[in-house]
Amino acid sequence: FQAEDGIRDDLVTGVQTCALPISIKVDYVFPDILGRITGVNDGLNLRSLPGADAAILASLRPYEAITIHSYIEGGWYEVTTREGLKGYLASRYVGLETVPKINSTAQIYASPGGQEVALLSGVEYPQINDFVISNGTGWYKLYQERGPHLYLAYDKVQLISSRNIHIEGVPRIHQRGRDPISGKALARGYVHCGPTAFQIVYHFHKKMLDRQRIVDAIYSAPGEWEGFEGGMIPKLAVEFSRELGFTHTHWDTHTNFLTLKKNLMEGRPQIVAVIGQIQTYVNDSKESYFSVTGHHIVLKGIQANGDLVFSDPNRVTPEDFNNIEADFKDIEGKKYDAIMRSEDFFKAWMEGGQAWSYDVKKAEGAPTFYQSQFTP
């Protein structure tokens, strides 16, 4: 086994010894696809070599994004972390979050090389949960929330490597700011993240609505939610969106992240609800705040390294919160977007907020031109 620093773990004694470099046999090469740590509670060890006795280089957090380069038989991925650290991870704890180039002739099997059960064209953006070798052939194992795992042959599907997904034109509106339509600052705007998130998405879709109108339509009666002026009701938010013409709008709990990614690639920003510690970066400067009851933000992009890009109604702006474009740029003119590390987002979204999401969608579906950007 080859280690970059010339140090080898002795697999018998577990003692690190200096050794001559021995190259690692790579069984399958991937086009630097994006993976994510899954199935662990505390963290996953990044090792210097593909083996459980190899030296530990770092412990990666649950949901952390990494880049996968190759597969080594025995259940190991060769990877690079966001910080550029190279090593090996046990493949059974890494999910692949790429977009396959769908081949209509690719069969889905109940087991590697077993019974054919469907064509790939019948499955939208399947989530790949692991990679296995059976009888000398590589197989992708597909994740299913219900039912047994299914399999795709390695040579029948071309995975697209990591790249940026970004929706342009999503406005930045602060929940405590002056309304961009009425020019008024709403009373108790600090609890208006939900209506402001819907306002952001409506404005993206060219429905320019006063925020007070949205509050009146989707909030419960004042006083029903103890300590606040009333709570945002998901059912009312969906009904109001449908009345505006977004007839296929829906609210989900425990949303699969691949669904969010698919909707982004179709050109629709997604409203997600998070709770707990909200850690964001603006132009590489880290900021943090805590939400006890939950906070709504608008997901508008995913960077190639797995970080997520938001239009956040609670972004820090000048005291008057007048929402002019200049408020959201630094002195060098960089965009004032909120970036969340994948592990921070998943912790706040899945563990705290139960993976709530809203998809504001018209019946006619998504534009086809956006999808073409992701064809290799």
Side-chain angles (χ1 to χ4, degrees):
F1 290 154
Q2 166 87 38
E4 288 188 359
D5 55 3
I7 302 296
R8 180 176 66 85
D9 284 338
D10 190 297
L11 300 184
V12 178
T13 65
V15 177
Q16 286 190 342
T17 59
C18 292
L20 293 175
I22 303 174
S23 61
I24 295 174
K25 179 182 179 296
V26 172
D27 294 282
Y28 290 89
V29 176
F30 299 131
D32 292 344
I33 56 181
L34 185 67
R36 199 177 302 280
I37 310 301
T38 58
V40 294
N41 295 323
D42 300 322
L44 181 62
N45 289 329
L46 177 72
R47 297 187 179 273
S48 61
L49 302 167
D53 295 325
I56 298 173
L57 302 177
S59 179
L60 305 186
R61 295 170 59 188
Y63 313 118
E64 186 169 343
I66 44 85
T67 301
I68 302 173
H69 307 298
S70 61
Y71 177 83
I72 293 88
E73 188 165 9
W76 294 90
Y77 285 134
E78 177 192 12
V79 306
T80 300
T81 68
R82 179 194 290 109
E83 290 73 24
L85 189 60
K86 295 183 181 295
Y88 298 85
L89 294 172
S91 64
R92 66 183 179 276
Y93 299 119
V94 179
L96 279 62
E97 292 182 354
T98 63
V99 181
K101 182 181 180 182
I102 294 179
N103 183 334
S104 61
T105 63
Q107 292 285 347
I108 297 176
Y109 295 84
S111 61
Q115 180 183 3
E116 299 176 355
V117 295
L119 288 173
L120 180 58
S121 57
V123 179
E124 284 193 325
Y125 303 99
Q127 179 176 349
I128 298 168
N129 206 47
D130 199 357
F131 189 85
V132 298
I133 295 178
S134 178
N135 296 323
T137 304
W139 295 86
Y140 294 111
K141 183 164 69 173
L142 306 186
Y143 171 79
Q144 290 197 117
E145 292 185 10
R146 300 176 181 85
H149 290 291
L150 300 175
Y151 295 84
L152 281 167
Y154 167 82
D155 60 353
K156 295 297 184 181
V157 182
Q158 179 183 350
L159 297 180
I160 300 174
S161 60
S162 305
R163 61 189 63 195
N164 291 322
I165 299 172
H166 189 74
I167 300 177
E168 296 288 347
V170 180
R172 305 173 184 89
I173 303 174
H174 200 288
Q175 66 198 54
R176 288 174 285 177
R178 299 183 185 278
D179 187 273
I181 299 297
S182 69
K184 299 178 181 179
L186 299 185
R188 309 190 74 172
Y190 58 86
V191 296
H192 284 163
C193 62
T196 307
F198 275 91
Q199 185 180 39
I200 289 171
V201 174
Y202 293 154
H203 283 206
F204 169 79
H205 289 293
K206 310 306 180 186
K207 289 283 186 179
M208 314 302 284
L209 298 185
D210 182 293
R211 195 182 318 152
Q212 186 65 60
R213 180 183 172 190
I214 301 172
V215 171
D216 293 342
I218 71 179
Y219 258 41
S220 64
E224 288 189 8
W225 192 6
E226 185 178 355
F228 295 91
E229 58 191 37
M232 195 189 86
I233 307 300
K235 180 180 178 182
L236 295 180
V238 171
E239 289 177 353
F240 183 62
S241 297
R242 290 176 176 175
E243 290 172 1
L244 293 175
F246 303 103
T247 55
H248 280 41
T249 296
H250 58 87
W251 167 59
D252 286 326
T253 59
H254 302 289
T255 314
N256 188 310
F257 180 71
L258 270 294
T259 300
L260 289 182
K261 187 173 182 179
K262 170 182 175 292
N263 293 342
L264 281 180
M265 292 182 63
E266 291 178 349
R268 296 190 305 278
Q270 302 291 291
I271 300 172
V272 294
V274 292
I275 195 169
Q277 197 71 29
I278 316 300
Q279 297 181 337
T280 60
Y281 294 77
V282 177
N283 299 331
D284 298 323
S285 176
K286 185 175 181 179
E287 297 177 0
S288 179
Y289 55 93
F290 194 88
S291 173
V292 177
T293 57
H295 179 53
H296 290 82
I297 53 182
V298 180
L299 175 62
K300 65 177 186 177
I302 306 174
Q303 296 186 335
N305 64 1
D307 291 350
L308 296 108
V309 186
F310 295 94
S311 183
D312 185 349
N314 198 42
R315 295 302 309 144
V316 177
T317 59
E319 291 183 0
D320 60 352
F321 299 121
N322 57 15
N323 291 316
I324 61 174
E325 181 70 16
D327 290 346
F328 301 92
K329 295 182 179 181
D330 66 8
I331 57 176
E332 295 179 355
K334 295 180 180 178
K335 288 185 178 180
Y336 205 75
D337 287 328
I339 306 294
M340 289 187 72
R341 297 281 175 87
S342 59
E343 55 268 33
D344 293 327
F345 168 71
F346 275 87
K347 184 174 181 61
W349 183 57
M350 296 185 70
E351 297 180 5
Q354 299 179 324
W356 284 16
S357 71
Y358 301 83
D359 182 25
V360 177
K361 181 181 180 182
K362 295 181 180 179
E364 60 267 25
T368 56
F369 70 86
Y370 199 84
Q371 177 64 36
S372 66
Q373 297 182 30
F374 302 95
T375 302

